[in-house]
């Protein structure tokens, strides 16, 4: 999603009316709520402080957006300058008693500096992050989308949604590592319980959703809360520790249907296309019939009903869980090497792994011209490129290397090739 907009078309008087209506609406709902957060964005003069004061009540929190590039009525917002952010936070701190968060722009080199300035200025926390500055796209004739007016002019807008999630996750985890205990309201690509959980694991204490609500409606929040409860519940079931969130581990399959190891049945590998596929189908059918006969002799399997043996974690228990794994490049192990392993039963023989390893990797995959079966050789460096592009999830896995890795650099350095 891309947003190009002014902050508001409302006058101060109109904002006051909104404040009054919200206060009334909120006081009606107060019994069932922990409070609400007012999102506020304004210039660096003090006019907006009056609006804040008007909105303020003790059940409220405020989030103040710092936008880096907008010039509104001639006023430049200063979200990329720690000094300005610190000062604006000081003004807000003096003006209101209620908690307030500074909303940070990701369009900076070091977001931790801005978060620290907010903390020093008295903010109760930060929101990370606002939208990422971008040019959304150009049509084939060179005109932009979105385009405004007959001249079809565009400008750099704020990109949001799941495209910016990695940037927001980085920002949240960096701030959480640098400023432990400083509350972070995470936003940027939360579109499921699973992505929300990633932000909690990265150190966020609260989650904010925008584009996903644009894409559907407010009911997504209920879905995410239910999903989050399910994730937390699953953590308490010891029997499901090998699950990836709500997904069981991948079984060996072709097009989702379980398949036996063909090599174990007939003593050789068989690919999954053309006449080979017909052979496979025949072998798999025979194997299934045999298994069916055997299983009918056994008693009916009972459905597992797992009971939590560990306490179900609360949200606060999982905040920052991932931070122990995030560090600098220098902290990564360069002795624990891995290699790619291809599951020949799941492979659809498309050859994509071969192409990528050949052209962009280390020429470590052999591709049988007859059967299209790929084989990883000892030249594999464990770069994971093939895993990233394989269309079948979990068909390629990385496993620990058991032999020492010897880099192959082509010709020995002493040999000067003749051109
Ligand atoms: C159309 C649109 C309008 C937005 N308006 C504001 C705004 O007025 N104030 C603000 O702080 N953030 C604003 N944002 C940023 C969102 O609050 C949110 O931080 C950002 O879009 C990233 O979250 P998301 O990926 O869930 O959308 C806006 C985003 C969009 C897409
Ligand atoms: S990319 Fe995956 S499916 Fe395609 S040939 Fe390689 S391992 Fe098989
Ligand atoms: S991990 Fe890298 S080097 Fe190894 S086979 Fe895959 S693409 Fe090639």
């Amino acid at each position: 999603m891309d947003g190009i907009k002014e902050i508001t078309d409302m006058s101060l008087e109109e904002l006051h009316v909104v404040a009054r209506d919200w206060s009334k609406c909120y006081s009606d709902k107060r019994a069932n709520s922990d409070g609400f957060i007012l999102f506020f964005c304004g210039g660096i003069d003090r006019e907006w402080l009056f609006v804040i004061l008007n909105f303020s009540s003790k059940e409220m929190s405020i989030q103040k957006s710092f936008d880096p590039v907008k010039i509104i009525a001639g006023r430049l917002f200063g979200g990329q300058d720690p000094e300005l952010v610190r000062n604006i936070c000081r003004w807000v701190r003096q003006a209101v008693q209620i908690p307030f968060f500074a909303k940070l722009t990701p369009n900076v080199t070091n977001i931790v500096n801005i978060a620290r300035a907010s903390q020093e200025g008295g903010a109760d926390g930060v929101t990370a992050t606002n939208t990422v500055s971008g040019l959304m796209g150009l049509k084939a004739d060179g005109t932009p989308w979105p385009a405004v007016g007959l001249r079809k002019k565009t400008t750099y807008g704020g990109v949001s949604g799941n495209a910016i999630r990695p940037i927001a996750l980085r920002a949240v985890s960096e701030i959480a590592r640098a400023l432990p205990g400083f509350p972070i309201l995470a936003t940027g690509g939360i579109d499921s319980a699973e992505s929300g959980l990633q932000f909690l694991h990265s150190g966020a204490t609260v989650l904010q959703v925008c584009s996903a609500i644009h894409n559907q409606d407010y009911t997504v929040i209920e879905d995410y809360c239910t999903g989050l409860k399910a994730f937390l519940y699953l953590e308490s079931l010891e029997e499901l520790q090998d699950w990836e969130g709500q997904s069981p581990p991948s079984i060996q399959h072709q097009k989702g249907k379980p398949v036996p190891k063909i090599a174990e049945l007939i003593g050789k590998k068989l690919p999954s296309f053309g006449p080979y596929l017909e052979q496979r189908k025949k072998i798999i059918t025979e194997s299934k019939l045999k298994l069916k006969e055997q299983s009918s002799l056994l008693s009916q399997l009972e459905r597992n009903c797992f009971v939590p043996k560990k306490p179900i974690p609360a949200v606060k228990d999982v905040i920052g869980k991932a931070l122990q794994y995030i560090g600098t490049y220098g902290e990564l192990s360069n002795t624990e090497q891995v290699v790619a392993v291809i599951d020949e039963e799941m492979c659809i023989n498309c050859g994509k792994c071969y192409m990528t390893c050949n052209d962009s990797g280390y020429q470590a995959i052999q591709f049988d011209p007859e059967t299209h079966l790929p084989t990883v050789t000892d030249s594999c460096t464990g770069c994971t490129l093939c895993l990233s592009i394989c269309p079948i999830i979990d068909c390629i896995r990385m496993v620990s290397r058991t032999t020492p890795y010897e880099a192959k650099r082509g010709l020995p350095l002493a040999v000067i090739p003749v051109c």
Side-chain angles (χ1 to χ4, degrees):
M1 201 165 279
D2 181 45
I4 300 175
K5 64 187 177 67
E6 270 290 0
I7 299 306
T8 179
D9 56 0
M10 284 198 269
S11 65
L12 274 180
E13 290 70 31
E14 287 167 327
L15 281 167
H16 288 175
V17 174
V18 173
R20 194 198 56 212
D21 290 353
W22 262 100
S23 294
K24 182 173 177 323
C25 171
Y26 178 66
S27 57
D28 294 345
K29 293 185 175 166
R30 190 164 18 206
N32 303 320
S33 169
D34 293 333
F36 69 91
I37 300 172
L38 169 70
F39 299 127
F40 188 84
C41 195
I44 55 173
D45 65 18
R46 293 179 182 228
E47 134 191 320
W48 50 267
L49 276 183
F50 295 108
V51 184
I52 294 179
L53 286 169
N54 207 20
F55 273 88
S56 298
S57 73
K58 66 177 176 2
E59 301 87 358
M60 283 177 163
S61 310
I62 304 173
Q63 173 197 266
K64 160 84 181 85
S65 284
F66 288 102
D67 203 296
V69 285
K70 282 187 187 120
I71 298 173
I72 292 163
R75 298 187 299 263
L76 175 69
F77 284 20
Q80 288 168 321
D81 180 344
E83 193 52 38
L84 277 175
V85 169
R86 192 181 294 108
N87 283 336
I88 293 174
C89 287
R90 282 189 183 134
W91 295 346
V92 180
R93 184 68 296 154
Q94 283 166 16
V96 296
Q97 303 301 316
I98 58 174
F100 86 90
F101 278 55
K103 185 165 187 178
L104 308 185
T105 171
N107 305 311
V108 288
T109 311
N110 188 341
I111 201 163
V112 171
N113 285 346
I114 312 290
R116 192 173 282 116
S118 310
Q119 191 182 34
E120 287 163 1
D124 294 282
V126 284
T127 304
T129 68
N130 213 322
T131 50
V132 176
S133 178
L135 179 66
M136 202 57 184
L138 300 173
K139 294 186 183 176
D141 63 359
T143 55
W145 189 92
V148 178
L150 288 175
R151 288 193 303 143
K152 299 195 170 180
K153 294 282 282 189
T154 196
T155 188
Y156 304 116
V159 182
S160 63
N162 55 19
I164 69 164
R165 191 187 308 135
I167 298 165
L169 276 171
R170 177 194 163 164
V172 169
S173 60
E174 276 192 321
I175 297 166
R177 287 169 60 222
L179 307 172
F182 190 46
I184 305 169
L185 198 168
T187 165
I190 297 174
D191 61 0
S192 63
E194 190 269 336
S195 51
L197 185 61
Q198 289 188 49
F199 280 95
L200 294 174
H201 281 162
S202 299
T205 37
V206 195
L207 306 177
Q208 185 179 119
V209 182
C210 178
S211 296
I213 295 173
H214 291 329
N215 283 335
Q216 196 173 319
D217 59 27
Y218 278 110
T219 61
V220 296
I221 303 297
E222 285 290 320
D223 296 346
Y224 300 170
C225 291
T226 310
L228 196 53
K229 283 178 194 164
F231 273 119
L232 296 173
Y233 179 71
L234 285 170
E235 281 208 24
S236 70
L237 299 178
E238 278 174 359
E239 293 84 350
L240 305 186
Q241 291 312 300
D242 56 345
W243 281 35
E244 175 74 40
Q246 297 186 49
S247 312
S250 303
I251 48 154
Q252 244 172 14
H253 70 92
Q254 271 285 336
K255 295 183 186 161
K257 292 190 180 138
V259 283
K261 259 201 181 331
I262 299 285
E264 281 173 11
L265 295 174
I266 60 165
K268 64 170 185 172
K269 298 174 185 178
L270 266 186
S272 298
F273 68 96
Y276 302 110
L277 184 61
E278 294 311 312
Q279 281 185 55
R280 277 184 75 99
K281 281 184 184 163
K282 210 165 152 255
I283 295 161
I284 291 169
T285 312
E286 283 166 7
S287 152
K288 277 187 179 165
L289 283 172
K290 210 184 267 178
L291 277 175
K292 208 173 164 190
E293 273 170 31
Q294 287 167 0
S295 64
S296 63
L297 302 174
L298 301 169
S299 58
Q300 279 285 319
L301 284 176
E302 271 180 36
R303 196 174 160 202
N304 286 325
C305 176
F306 302 125
V307 179
K309 295 191 188 75
K310 297 191 282 184
I312 300 165
V315 168
K316 67 176 169 40
D317 299 328
V318 301
I319 288 170
K321 190 179 170 188
L323 295 179
Q324 59 181 314
Y325 306 116
I326 304 169
T328 60
Y329 179 81
E331 290 170 60
L332 306 183
S333 164
N334 59 11
T335 53
E336 295 166 272
Q337 292 160 355
V338 289
V339 285
V341 172
I342 296 173
D343 187 315
E344 71 236 21
E345 306 306 338
M346 291 167 80
C347 175
I348 55 166
N349 315 102
C350 66
K352 287 193 75 180
C353 55
Y354 166 69
M355 288 190 283
T356 195
C357 189
N358 202 47
D359 291 1
S360 316
Y362 295 83
Q363 300 78 49
I365 295 182
Q366 286 171 351
F367 195 63
D368 190 302
E370 183 65 34
T371 63
H372 297 189
L373 283 167
T375 313
V376 179
T377 70
D378 214 34
S379 302
C380 175
T381 62
C383 73
T384 71
L385 198 55
C386 54
L387 179 148
S388 314
I389 58 87
C390 176
I392 308 298
I393 294 170
D394 289 338
C395 174
I396 300 182
R397 292 172 202 258
M398 306 309 294
V399 298
S400 296
R401 175 180 264 281
T402 50
T403 54
Y405 173 66
E406 280 170 38
K408 297 199 174 73
R409 303 276 184 243
L411 293 172
L413 287 178
V415 177
I416 301 166
V418 182
C419 296

